[in-house]
């Protein structure tokens, strides 16, 4: 696992910038529904989060999710994958949606989310959603 990432800050202009995932950070993507639940579970432990178009992305240290097993509705994006992935990054000042925006902006005390804590929260959120779906279907 990489312990350091190259210094990086979000774009300052008005446009979304495409950044190659894995160079500065890896990202974990999930649906906004799962993401909202994860935010509640993580509380203040969440790092920077990008949201928009019914998706959420957490920034994590490069390589920190490369050995994750597949989890429903969750995709780890990073340099460890065979394909090259680019991600749209909103300007630093865009903090509201519905377009791509910073739900929790990068800041001095908020950058990476701890990958292990994120994985635990994602797993719990997915399990809770499956349970809710099964309860609704059974009625």
């Amino acid at each position: 696992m990489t312990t350091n990432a190259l210094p990086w800050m979000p774009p300052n202009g008005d446009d979304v910038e495409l950044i190659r995932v894995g160079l500065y950070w890896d990202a974990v993507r999930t649906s906004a529904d799962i993401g909202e639940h994860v935010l509640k579970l993580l509380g203040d432990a969440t790092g920077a989060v990008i949201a928009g178009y019914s998706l959420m992305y957490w920034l994590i240290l490069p390589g920190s999710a490369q050995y994750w097993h597949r989890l429903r509705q969750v995709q780890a994006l990073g340099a460890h994958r065979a394909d090259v992935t680019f991600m749209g990054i909103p300007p630093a000042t865009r903090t509201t949606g519905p377009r791509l925006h910073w739900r929790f902006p990068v800041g001095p005390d908020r950058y990476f989310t701890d990958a292990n804590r994120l994985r635990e929260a994602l797993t719990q959120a997915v399990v809770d959603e499956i349970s809710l779906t099964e309860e609704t279907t059974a009625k």
Side-chain angles (χ1 to χ4, degrees), residues 26-101:
D26 283 356
V28 175
R29 176 177 62 203
T30 192
S31 68
D33 292 340
I34 296 290
E36 289 297 333
H37 194 86
V38 169
L39 288 174
K40 289 177 186 169
L41 292 169
L42 286 174
D44 290 337
T46 194
V49 178
I50 296 171
Y53 309 111
S54 300
L55 295 170
M56 283 190 184
Y57 301 82
W58 278 260
L59 302 184
I60 59 173
L61 277 169
S64 59
Q66 70 184 9
Y67 299 110
W68 284 14
H69 296 288
R70 183 160 167 73
L71 185 60
R72 180 179 161 179
Q73 297 185 19
V74 175
Q75 185 175 15
L77 309 170
H80 65 281
R81 297 177 49 92
D83 55 336
V84 175
T85 304
F86 286 83
M87 193 169 115
I89 305 299
T93 57
R94 190 181 300 163
T95 56
T96 59
R99 298 183 311 162
L100 211 54
H101 64 280

Side-chain angles (χ1 to χ4, degrees), residues 8 17 19 25 43 51 57-58 74 76 84 93 97 101 105-106 126 130:
W8 173 84
E17 185 176 314
I19 303 287
W25 33 256
Y57 301 82
W58 278 260
V74 175
V84 175
T93 57
H101 64 280
V106 170
V126 169
I130 291 169

